[in-house]
Every structure is written in structure tokens, then in C-alpha cells.
Amino acid sequence: MRLRLFLPIAALSLLPVALRAAVPPAERILPQDTVALFTVPEWRQTCDQHAKSPQLQLWNEPSMKPFRDHFLKRWKEEVADPIEKELGVRFEDYRGLIQGQLTLAVLKNNWEAGSKEEPGTALLIDTRDHAEQLRTNLTTLRRKWVEANKTLRTETLRG
């Protein structure tokens, strides 16, 4: 009797997982004129594996602290802060949102060698259950960009 009750309850509890749409591979989402792409299929798993890597163990070695602190300070001052200021965004607001696939792509975007057109870029992030937070962050970013008279173009890729 308990087994008969357990099986339907277990099946119903797994239903949301089964109903969640699978994230298609990046090459199926991106347009045909994609020049290059870099993708990480499972960001969280990759971070967990990277945390155990010899490179990160060396980076976190106590004797590396002076070098690491100096490097991170210069990185923040010379790279991260200027980009954040130019884009009007804080990377910290987006860092925790990446849950699944992460893809960075370069798109042809009418670019030809020697032309004034530049290639486009696309960043695809699977946020899984953090979609509402991403929507809020992007709404705020869009508002800031409009206020700063930056050009925006929204494009839907294959639905």
C-alpha cells in the first residue's frame, strides 16, 4: 500500500524537472553567420572541477597571496572598473546568475575584412531558476543605457 502511494508522489515531484525544457546547444541557437564561439555546457560543474585543479590550488596557496592581491587590484582598476563604468553595469550583479550553459559568440553582422562594420557579439547565459533576477537586472541596465543615450538593439534569435 505504501509503495502504491509513494510511486505517484515520487513521479509528481519529478514532473517539474521533466517538464523543464532542455537547453539546446549553442550552435542550434546562434545564427548561421557565427564566426566563432566559446561555450561551457555546465558552468557550475566546470567551476567545481576547476576548484580542484592544480592551477587554482597554486593560485590559492598562501605564499601566492601578495602576488594574487596585487594582480587582482590592478585587474580591477585597469580592466574591470573601466568596463563597468563604460557599460554602466556591475559584474557582481550577474556573476551568481550563471547556472547552466554559458556561451560567448562572435557574429559576422555584415562585417567584411577591411570594412568599417564590426563583428557583433552575443552572450548566452542559462540562468535556470534565476530568470526573474536576470530580467530585473537587464531592465535596469536597459533603463541606464537609454538615459545615457547609448544605442540599443534587441534581437530575437530563433524564438
Side-chain angles (χ1 to χ4, degrees), residues 3-4 9 13 17 19 22 25 28 38 40 43 46 56 58 88 97 112 116 147 158-159:
L3 186 58
R4 272 196 242 157
I9 291 171
S13 68
V17 174
L19 290 177
R28 283 193 36 220
F38 171 79
V40 178
W43 179 256
T46 302
L56 201 60
L58 174 64
L97 297 177
E112 294 292 333
K116 291 183 181 182
E147 289 171 359
R158 300 184 188 190

Side-chain angles (χ1 to χ4, degrees), residues 6-16:
F6 175 74
L7 290 177
I9 291 171
L12 286 174
S13 68
L14 293 175
L15 188 62

Side-chain angles (χ1 to χ4, degrees), residues 18-37:
L19 290 177
R20 188 174 87 194
V23 176
E27 50 276 5
R28 283 193 36 220
I29 298 171
L30 294 167
Q32 294 296 322
D33 69 347
T34 301
V35 176
L37 71 90

Side-chain angles (χ1 to χ4, degrees), residues 33 35 107-111 117-121 153 155:
D33 69 347
V35 176
L107 310 174
K108 189 173 179 185
N109 196 35
N110 298 323
W111 171 74
E117 291 288 331
E118 293 185 6
T121 56
R153 186 177 92 202
E155 190 171 325

Side-chain angles (χ1 to χ4, degrees), residues 87-119:
L87 296 178
V89 66
R90 286 187 33 205
F91 292 128
E92 199 60 35
D93 295 341
Y94 295 88
R95 191 174 63 138
L97 297 177
I98 307 168
Q99 300 297 310
Q101 181 174 294
L102 170 72
T103 301
L104 177 62
V106 178
L107 310 174
K108 189 173 179 185
N109 196 35
N110 298 323
W111 171 74
E112 294 292 333
S115 73
K116 291 183 181 182
E117 291 288 331
E118 293 185 6

Side-chain angles (χ1 to χ4, degrees), residues 4 6 11 15-16 19 21 26 28 38 48-52 57 83-84 108 116 121 125 132 141 144:
R4 272 196 242 157
F6 175 74
L15 188 62
L19 290 177
R28 283 193 36 220
F38 171 79
D48 292 344
Q49 291 170 353
H50 184 64
K52 300 171 190 169
Q57 289 177 5
I83 292 172
E84 285 182 349
K108 189 173 179 185
K116 291 183 181 182
T121 56
I125 301 172
E132 196 55 45
L141 177 63
K144 286 180 183 178

Side-chain angles (χ1 to χ4, degrees), residues 1 5 9 19 24 33 42 50 56 59 67 70 74 76 95 100 122 131 135 137 152 157:
M1 180 78 166
L5 288 174
I9 291 171
L19 290 177
D33 69 347
E42 282 295 330
H50 184 64
L56 201 60
W59 182 253
F67 171 79
H70 178 70
R74 299 259 329 254
K76 183 171 176 13
R95 191 174 63 138
R135 188 172 290 117
N137 289 0
L152 285 174
L157 299 174

